Amino acid sequence: MATRRALLIAIAATAGGAVAQPRLPDEVAAELPGARLQGSGRMRHFGFLVCDARLWTRPGFDAAAFQRQPFALELQYARALSGVGLAEASLDQMRHVGDVPAAKADAWLAEMSAAFPDVVKGDRITGVLRPRESARFFVNGTLRREIGDPEFADRFFGIWLSPRTSKPSLRRDLIGAST
């Protein structure tokens, strides 16, 4: 089954322009023992490639209950972007997914601005969900910030994994539904 899944991911990557089976990042191996690639895809904005996204999960991952399971979302950037811009865009997307309490919006924006540096082509930001605890953010493999607000963590990762995401085809690629 695992071999068939890997073959399907490789075929989908070739056909759809997604990234081929990558090596498990060290921070994911340390944070999520037993992780495997669930799915991958490319995020585009107005036709421009923004980043390659990879979802690392443990066996048995259930996308419908993503908030209750540990996983890692790795983003490898294809262009230079400002960290503040990433934080602002993330907050906008969090609002798209669901209600962001007004009392928390400024604090969440400040936390993300501290977590996300300016990036250049090839930089990686990996977010790790620790269910009912926090979100941990690694930049190029080094822990940069942990945000200890479970509501933030659920809403942030919902940008990518919620059925209400603004990028449903990328969600399907990440959860492996398109293979």
Side-chain angles (χ1 to χ4, degrees), residues 41-107:
R42 293 193 138 173
M43 184 175 132
R44 296 184 182 276
H45 189 67
F46 294 116
F48 293 99
L49 178 61
V50 175
C51 65
D52 290 317
R54 296 174 198 92
L55 180 62
W56 299 95
T57 65
R58 290 185 177 142
F61 179 77
D62 178 7
F66 72 88
Q67 306 95 327
R68 295 192 299 263
Q69 304 155 86
F71 62 82
L73 178 68
E74 177 192 12
L75 305 176
Q76 185 168 15
Y77 289 88
R79 58 186 353 92
L81 298 166
S82 83
V84 170
L86 291 172
E88 291 170 345
S90 295
L91 185 60
D92 288 344
Q93 288 300 307
M94 290 164 79
R95 287 181 170 128
H96 178 85
V97 170
D99 190 39
V100 172
K104 292 195 172 194
D106 288 340

Side-chain angles (χ1 to χ4, degrees), residues 77-178:
Y77 289 88
R79 58 186 353 92
L81 298 166
S82 83
V84 170
L86 291 172
E88 291 170 345
S90 295
L91 185 60
D92 288 344
Q93 288 300 307
M94 290 164 79
R95 287 181 170 128
H96 178 85
V97 170
D99 190 39
V100 172
K104 292 195 172 194
D106 288 340
W108 287 357
L109 182 60
E111 288 280 7
M112 288 187 290
S113 294
F116 307 152
D118 295 345
V119 295
V120 296
K121 183 179 180 177
D123 280 347
R124 293 181 310 108
I125 296 179
T126 304
V128 176
L129 176 66
R130 302 176 90 184
R132 295 177 290 281
E133 288 181 34
S134 66
R136 299 186 84 185
F137 294 99
F138 295 79
V139 176
N140 297 323
T142 301
L143 180 63
R144 176 148 174 135
R145 192 159 194 93
E146 182 167 5
I147 302 174
D149 180 340
E151 187 179 6
F152 164 83
D154 291 350
R155 189 77 78 239
F156 176 82
F157 289 109
I159 292 171
W160 308 90
L161 299 177
S162 168
R164 295 183 62 186
T165 181
S166 67
K167 304 281 187 195
S169 63
L170 178 56
R171 177 186 183 269
R172 285 189 300 273
D173 289 345
L174 289 172
I175 65 174
S178 61

